[in-house]
Amino acid sequence: MSLLKDKVVVVTAAAGTGIGSAAARRCLEEGARVVVSDHHERRLAETRDRLAEAHGDRVFAVPCDVTDEAAVRRLVEAAVDHCGRLDVMINNAGLGGTASVLEMADDEWARVLDVTLTGTLRCTRAALRQMVAQGGGGAVVNNASVLGWRAQAGQAHYAAAKAGVMALTRCAALDVAAHGIRVNAVAPSLAMHPFLAKVTSDELLARLAAQEAFGRPAEPWEVANVMVFLASDLASYLTGEVISVSSQQA
């Protein structure tokens, strides 16, 4: 439907076959020019090549570690140098894991929050500064989680980080509303992709899927569709919102 025609979109953690790469593909399908980013350079190059088969030079890759402030600044600068501006930032980078608070080490807690929450702050801040410098307008879409609302054993660090992403989204939205910039988030419950299957037991995945109203996980593209909506002008009056992409109650 050309919802993002001629928009410049940056997507973090876009390598592989998860939500990030699905978001990049959907943005390209909607007419955007897309800068894909990830700290896994080989997988990022493979993702860029795969997307370029269908979308040519409208996709561009820039490696970035969201825990590195200088790298985040370089990502935004590279996007602007290559495409002329920045219209949409999709913050998909996050790090999970499973650990009881009884055994969780400080560095384990800090690593999850640094990638998932502070990484989202770094990218949001860099994108918003660029959008303001351009004269305003634009959108930031953050990837949160239903765990920001509800409890799950072994997920204290991840849930705390995602709850922080939700709060960051709401507050940042008010900080930049006067500039015509929107900041929103999605909160998926369970989206199936190969990386999740590697780090989660089949038993847990089956149990989580059974809790969904449709009896199955979401596909990454189903989450990406909501990201595209929030990035587009169809969501022109939405800011500071967190939309649950889930078939279960939070």
Side-chain angles (χ1 to χ4, degrees):
M1 294 185 290
S2 298
L3 292 178
L4 300 174
K5 184 173 175 56
D6 298 328
K7 300 288 189 182
V8 177
V9 180
V10 172
V11 184
T12 66
T17 57
I19 293 172
S21 61
R25 184 177 300 279
R26 287 292 298 113
C27 289
L28 286 162
E29 290 170 350
E30 293 294 342
R33 289 179 289 166
V34 177
V35 179
V36 290
S37 181
D38 204 288
H39 75 287
H40 294 286
E41 294 193 30
R42 179 186 57 80
R43 288 198 298 149
L44 177 62
E46 291 171 351
T47 298
R48 187 267 169 200
D49 290 347
R50 189 165 57 247
L51 293 172
E53 289 176 2
H55 302 285
D57 61 3
R58 287 196 294 114
V59 58
F60 176 62
V62 179
C64 179
D65 178 352
V66 299
T67 67
D68 182 340
E69 169 66 16
V72 170
R73 288 198 304 268
R74 288 193 297 270
L75 169 61
V76 172
E77 290 168 0
V80 175
D81 287 346
H82 187 75
C83 300
R85 59 182 294 109
L86 173 62
D87 299 299
V88 177
M89 170 68 81
I90 296 180
N91 290 315
N92 177 63
L95 179 67
T98 302
S100 166
V101 294
L102 297 171
E103 290 87 32
M104 189 180 298
D106 282 3
D107 60 351
E108 190 174 9
W109 169 274
R111 176 65 176 163
V112 170
L113 265 72
D114 193 20
V115 174
T116 307
L117 176 55
T118 311
T120 300
L121 165 66
R122 293 183 187 104
C123 293
T124 297
R125 181 173 59 204
L128 293 178
R129 286 173 175 170
Q130 175 60 34
M131 291 172 184
V132 169
Q134 291 170 180
V140 173
V141 181
N142 295 325
N143 194 359
S145 167
V146 294
L147 290 186
W149 288 312
R150 63 171 172 80
Q152 184 172 310
Q155 295 296 308
H157 46 1
Y158 186 71
K162 290 301 191 180
V165 169
M166 293 178 175
L168 168 63
T169 298
R170 289 188 288 266
C171 294
L174 295 184
D175 287 341
V176 296
H179 298 280
I181 304 168
R182 299 178 295 103
V183 185
N184 292 291
V186 298
S189 53
L190 180 64
M192 182 54 64
H193 52 86
F195 179 75
L196 179 63
K198 287 182 181 179
V199 299
T200 309
S201 69
D202 292 341
E203 179 184 8
L204 177 58
L205 287 175
R207 178 161 57 83
L208 293 174
Q211 295 173 1
E212 300 289 324
F214 297 129
R216 66 167 179 86
E219 296 291 337
W221 63 265
E222 292 176 303
V223 179
N225 280 344
V226 184
M227 290 176 159
V228 166
F229 163 70
L230 290 173
S232 78
D233 292 340
L234 289 179
S236 59
Y237 200 66
L238 279 178
T239 198
E241 295 292 342
V242 180
I243 296 182
S244 176
V245 188
S246 169
S247 62
Q248 60 171 298
Q249 291 185 345

